[in-house]
Amino acid sequence: EAQVTQNPRYLITVTGKKLTVTCSQNMNHEYMSWYRQDPGLGLRQIYYSMNVEVTDKGDVPEGYKVSRKEKRNFPLILESPSPNQTSLYFCASSLRVADTQYFGPGTRLTVL
Amino acid sequence: EDQVTQSPEALRLQEGESSSLNCSYTVSGLRGLFWYRQDPGKGPEFLFTLYSAGEEKEKERLKATLTKKESFLHITAPKPEDSATYLCAVLSGGSYIPTFGRGTSLIVHP
């Protein structure tokens, strides 16, 4: 089954404790991205990747890191989380940037 | 800067009462306009991609249309299971970052 998976689905952590949210797709897509979704603000892109070893900032990259060492995986790293990073996070992938994006199920992160 | 405005913010319909959702956009050269459906706590689910003015696509009770300034998502004879938030996004020429609207929350009452 073609899908985008994210782990963990739910995470409660404390300020400053490094964490990684994993994302994997099995569709051989080149383009992958991370979004955060906040009430009243909609979906905002954090980082995107055009292909292996090619990543770039989205609209709200501050406080986040990403890497793309393999085509299927695109982890999101918060090295020192803060409460304003409490949000619902989605990973997405598409064959190319202008194609339909397929979204993961989401990760609800709470930073205390 | 690309802009996407969706209206109305919320819409309540009776089952069978057809209506339309609007997505107005401002971009410098449209590469694609995307419609998604999102259920609470879940990831957006793809509905349609439109690439040029005049294009129309249909799927069951949904039909998406596109002009040079806006897109409509027409819902014909909706059912309660069509209740969800509908998101519109655009990608402009030369950009790698889609811009999403804030969505229209649709509730269909039986």
Side-chain angles (χ1 to χ4, degrees), chain B:
Chain B
E1 182 180 335
D2 300 341
Q3 290 189 337
V4 177
T5 303
Q6 292 188 245
S7 61
E9 289 186 14
L11 181 62
R12 291 178 181 268
L13 299 174
Q14 287 297 126
E15 185 173 1
E17 180 186 2
S18 301
S19 188
S20 296
L21 313 182
N22 177 263
C23 172
S24 297
Y25 64 90
T26 304
V27 298
S28 53
L30 182 69
R31 289 174 73 181
L33 184 140
F34 311 90
W35 281 101
Y36 294 88
R37 169 196 170 122
Q38 186 176 23
D39 294 300
K42 296 189 176 182
E45 177 185 336
F46 165 71
L47 292 174
F48 303 107
T49 302
L50 303 168
Y51 291 107
S52 57
E55 192 173 358
E56 298 183 353
K57 289 190 177 177
E58 285 188 72
K59 178 182 177 182
E60 296 180 352
R61 295 179 293 281
L62 300 177
K63 179 180 178 180
T65 62
L66 180 64
T67 72
K68 289 185 178 180
K69 294 183 178 181
E70 58 192 349
S71 176
F72 290 94
L73 184 65
H74 306 278
I75 304 178
T76 302
K79 298 181 178 181
E81 53 261 43
D82 294 322
S83 298
T85 295
Y86 291 84
L87 302 173
C88 171
V90 297
L91 184 68
S92 64
S95 173
Y96 299 103
I97 305 172
T99 299
F100 279 80
R102 297 184 180 183
T104 293
S105 174
L106 173 66
I107 297 176
V108 181
H109 296 285

